[in-house]
Amino acid sequence: MPETILVVEDEPAIRELVGFACETAGYEVLRAECVKQAKEQLHDKAVDLILLDWMLPDLSGLQWLEQLKRDSRTGAIPVIMLTARGTESDKVAGLEAGADDYVVKPFSPRELIARIRAVLRRGSQESEKTVVCGPLSMNEARFSVKVDGVDIKLGVIEFKLLWVLAGAPGRVYSRAQLLELVWDDAADMDERTVDVHVLRVRKQLAGTPASDLIETVRGMGYRAVETHND
Ligand code: CA
């Protein structure tokens, strides 16, 4: 199914140019010339992304953006601002209000489409931030860890460590690789630090169906195994 883009722009020539560019790129396009029309469109259809002009006849795009982001039904829809204003402070205001990107007129259709693709791709990556390995499931955005639905508490380092291992079941990671992937300042760190944190993860998983999830591979490092221990 093609993704749907709502184009909110009061200048007919720009609205058509943008709409045509999006259709040519394979998107479904809805058009609105003011915020009132845009709200009606949003009410009737599922929208994947909004291209929003800054200067509109009824309400400024920036004001509407703020309303959109506060509303739980629309807050997750990515928004790219379209505007003639190119000053740094306007850009900051747009981004602070929750815009995902900002395109200054005049722009080329090709540039616009590239920005749209990037924003949509980012969105789909975020919704996929979940790892499941046997009885274990983790969600990065919520910083949650569950074993068969029961919450497990982990520290930040332990979470990252388990995230890496459980994200690639069966794959063996050396201590050096884990240091690199999990710690921000791994340069001078001792590889035994990894062992300390693996032990902490194992303690938290002890007594659950995921108690043997992290396996030590002698002479190599660690790996996660997808086995139910029940
Ligand atoms: Ca305008």
Side-chain angles (χ1 to χ4, degrees):
M1 267 236 316
E3 284 152 313
T4 301
I5 296 179
L6 172 59
V7 180
V8 191
E9 166 65 70
D10 59 327
E11 283 169 64
I14 299 178
R15 190 168 63 241
E16 280 321 300
L17 175 79
V18 169
F20 181 72
C22 292
E23 281 166 350
T24 305
Y27 298 109
E28 194 85 44
V29 176
L30 302 171
R31 294 168 172 81
E33 56 183 56
C34 59
V35 170
K36 183 170 171 287
Q37 273 186 11
K39 284 181 176 168
E40 288 164 4
Q41 296 273 31
L42 262 190
H43 193 264
D44 296 340
K45 302 255 173 61
V47 167
D48 297 292
L49 183 140
I50 300 172
L51 293 176
L52 181 58
D53 183 27
W54 187 298
M55 303 288 276
L56 291 163
D58 48 353
L59 190 67
S60 88
L62 189 65
Q63 284 171 308
W64 190 45
L65 173 65
E66 285 168 350
Q67 292 179 9
L68 280 171
K69 291 294 161 182
R70 275 200 303 269
D71 188 332
S72 61
R73 287 165 301 176
T74 55
I77 303 173
V79 176
I80 298 179
M81 297 292 292
L82 301 179
T83 176
R85 300 178 172 217
T87 69
E88 201 59 31
S89 62
D90 288 337
K91 196 167 176 172
V92 169
L95 295 174
E96 276 182 351
D100 292 82
D101 205 351
Y102 189 103
V103 182
V104 179
K105 296 173 191 170
F107 47 78
S108 73
R110 183 194 260 185
E111 179 194 359
L112 180 67
I113 297 301
R115 301 286 191 95
I116 290 171
R117 288 210 176 105
V119 167
L120 286 173
R121 196 164 51 229
R122 218 187 298 154
S124 67
Q125 280 165 352
E126 270 161 30
S127 62
E128 284 164 15
K129 285 187 172 173
T130 303
V131 153
V132 176
C133 177
L136 176 86
S137 67
M138 303 177 74
N139 184 292
E140 195 177 36
R142 293 177 198 179
F143 189 58
S144 78
V145 186
K146 289 177 194 286
V147 174
D148 280 348
V150 178
D151 279 311
I152 303 289
K153 296 270 168 271
L154 288 182
V156 176
I157 291 293
E158 286 72 33
F159 184 93
K160 287 190 187 173
L161 191 55
L162 188 56
W163 179 265
V164 169
L165 291 167
R171 176 175 168 180
V172 180
Y173 286 92
S174 70
R175 289 170 178 78
Q177 284 172 328
L178 289 170
L179 272 181
E180 196 60 45
L181 290 165
V182 173
W183 279 266
D184 295 329
D185 48 353
D188 302 319
M189 289 181 60
D190 193 309
E191 292 188 0
R192 277 171 299 183
T193 307
V194 176
D195 301 333
V196 171
H197 290 273
V198 165
L199 190 66
R200 286 190 194 160
V201 176
R202 282 178 171 157
K203 265 189 182 163
Q204 294 307 107
L205 296 177
T208 76
S211 59
D212 294 335
L213 190 123
I214 301 181
E215 195 174 78
T216 305
V217 184
R218 290 190 69 180
M220 302 276 286
Y222 295 101
R223 75 170 155 217
V225 286
E226 278 181 289
T227 51
H228 274 266
N229 184 34
D230 52 18

